[in-house]
């Protein structure tokens, strides 16, 4: 069974930075970060193909967020800079053996980590 575990959430002021981590216990073709704010739909934020340099970002985070990986640790990171109050949400990590996009189509999900950005 694939286990996905996120960490690194917290509270920060606008303009600040946070780094989220996501570790899986076995190989997956793609890993991604999603977020869901209060009363909002879950949206894809960033995607990383674990076997190549391919990445994909939502327009709302381009230039501010960076997804990267550490193969040795089966870990994907989301570096979030210049955070805005609108980035406040529960952030989820997802993994899949076949799908590699921003749609809510991943097979394996973590429990989420909260990010709160105050103005």
């Amino acid at each position: 069974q694939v286990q996905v575990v996120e960490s690194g959430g917290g509270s920060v002021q606008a303009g600040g930075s946070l780094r989220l981590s996501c570790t899986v216990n076995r190989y997956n073709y793609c890993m991604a970060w999603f977020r869901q704010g209060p009363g909002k739909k879950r949206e894809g934020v960033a995607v990383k193909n674990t076997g190549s340099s391919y990445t994909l970002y939502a327009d709302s985070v381009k230039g501010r967020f960076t997804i990267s990986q550490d193969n040795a640790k089966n870990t994907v990171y989301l570096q979030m800079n210049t955070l805005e109050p609108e980035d406040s949400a529960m952030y989820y990590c997802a993994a899949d053996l076949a799908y590699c996009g921003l749609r809510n189509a991943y097979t394996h999900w973590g429990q989420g980590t909260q990010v709160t950005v105050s103005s």
Side-chain angles (χ1 to χ4, degrees):
Q1 184 175 352
V2 176
Q3 294 179 331
V4 182
V5 180
E6 307 101 332
S7 63
S11 297
V12 65
Q13 289 190 327
S17 298
L18 282 174
R19 189 177 80 159
L20 307 182
S21 299
C22 172
T23 301
V24 294
N25 62 343
R26 62 180 62 180
Y27 168 82
N28 278 267
Y29 175 63
C30 257
M31 293 178 69
W33 287 97
F34 286 73
R35 66 185 181 186
Q36 187 168 17
K40 297 182 180 180
K41 293 182 179 180
R42 188 175 296 187
E43 63 170 344
V45 172
V47 172
K48 180 72 177 73
N49 181 314
T50 61
S52 75
S53 60
Y54 175 80
T55 59
L56 180 65
Y57 296 94
D59 288 342
S60 58
V61 306
K62 281 181 182 177
R64 300 189 298 122
F65 291 10
T66 302
I67 189 169
S68 61
Q69 70 183 85
D70 182 335
N71 287 337
K73 298 180 180 179
N74 278 348
T75 298
V76 168
Y77 304 99
L78 185 68
Q79 178 67 42
M80 305 185 294
N81 298 328
T82 319
L83 283 162
E84 304 167 353
E86 293 73 23
D87 295 317
S88 296
M90 184 69 79
Y91 281 71
Y92 298 90
C93 182
D96 201 273
L97 283 173
Y99 180 69
C100 201
L102 287 173
R103 288 189 292 112
N104 192 4
Y106 288 74
T107 302
H108 310 290
W109 293 84
Q111 294 299 308
T113 185
Q114 180 68 39
V115 172
T116 302
V117 184
S118 58
S119 58

